[in-house]
Amino acid sequence: MNAQDPSRFLASVDEHALELNHLATLEEDSICARVAQNLQRLRGKHHLSLDALARQCGVSRAMLAQIESGRSVPSIKVLCKIAKGLKVSVAAFLEHRAFEGVAVLSASQSKRLVSANGSFVSRALFPFDVARQSEFYELRLSPLGEEESAGHGPGVQENLVVSQGVLEISLNEERYLLSPGDSILFYADQPHRYRNPADSEAVAYLVVTHPERPD
């Protein structure tokens, strides 16, 4: 299927249409497998047998075994019971990766992007291992420094707040001067520029939001 050609989402005369029921089955199978893998991982991390987990969460051993083997998709009520027993978020069972609701990222582990002349530094304040809908960054711009962007994907928004110094944001030949505490929200799928007009470092925090989950 070619995502660049919307017509490819429709079946041609010599192709078989993909039934919605089949799509639903594929999605259910995917969720079932993900929950099964995460349950097995979390149970192992807590060194619990199926019997011990059953006593701890109030879900029968037989049901836990069915979920962990991928033979059954648990209801929200059952999943909440298991999550409470394991002391994790319900979302921990649906993640593509191992994430249990808390991730501490030390400053030394942060991914940094530094401009060629070193005047602009962007530090990711989130685990930089998978694509996500929202991204959080710390921006630092040296005195009189500037950084230009040709624009991101369609519909991408940037929400920025200045915490130190002053920062000038340019959009479509319009300039916005921000002082500490000032914030700005704009569509970043157009050319934009950050500029520090002062003789001291500017620090800002930026949230980038994609229109839909990129992964």
Side-chain angles (χ1 to χ4, degrees), residues 63-114:
M63 174 59 73
L64 290 173
Q66 286 185 0
I67 295 170
E68 195 168 293
S69 63
R71 299 195 307 271
S72 176
V73 178
S75 66
I76 293 297
K77 184 177 180 179
V78 169
L79 208 54
C80 285
K81 286 184 176 182
I82 300 173
K84 185 176 181 180
L86 289 170
K87 296 181 174 60
V88 299
S89 166
V90 172
F93 294 102
L94 303 176
E95 288 286 339
H96 289 281
R97 59 193 175 85
F99 176 64
E100 296 164 36
V102 178
V104 177
L105 188 65
S106 68
S108 61
Q109 292 177 316
S110 300
K111 297 292 184 181
R112 286 176 169 80
L113 172 67
V114 183

Side-chain angles (χ1 to χ4, degrees), residues 35-45 68:
V35 171
Q37 291 169 2
N38 283 320
L39 175 56
Q40 187 175 33
R41 174 180 59 80
L42 291 168
R43 185 170 66 81
K45 181 178 178 180
E68 195 168 293

Side-chain angles (χ1 to χ4, degrees), residues 17 31 36-37 45 92 95 185 192 204 208:
I31 294 174
Q37 291 169 2
K45 181 178 178 180
E95 288 286 339
L185 172 67
H192 51 283
V208 178

Side-chain angles (χ1 to χ4, degrees), residues 24-36:
T25 300
L26 291 175
E27 179 64 20
E28 183 175 306
D29 288 346
S30 175
I31 294 174
C32 189
R34 198 180 312 162
V35 171

Side-chain angles (χ1 to χ4, degrees), residues 97 99 102-113 121-130 132 134-140 159-161 163 203-208:
R97 59 193 175 85
F99 176 64
V102 178
V104 177
L105 188 65
S106 68
S108 61
Q109 292 177 316
S110 300
K111 297 292 184 181
R112 286 176 169 80
L113 172 67
V121 179
S122 171
R123 179 167 70 99
L125 302 178
F126 58 94
F128 207 75
D129 50 358
V130 295
R132 59 189 67 238
S134 296
E135 301 167 356
F136 186 32
Y137 297 92
E138 176 191 69
L139 306 183
R140 290 182 176 271
N159 193 179
L160 178 146
V161 60
S163 66
V203 180
Y205 292 91
L206 171 69
V207 175
V208 178

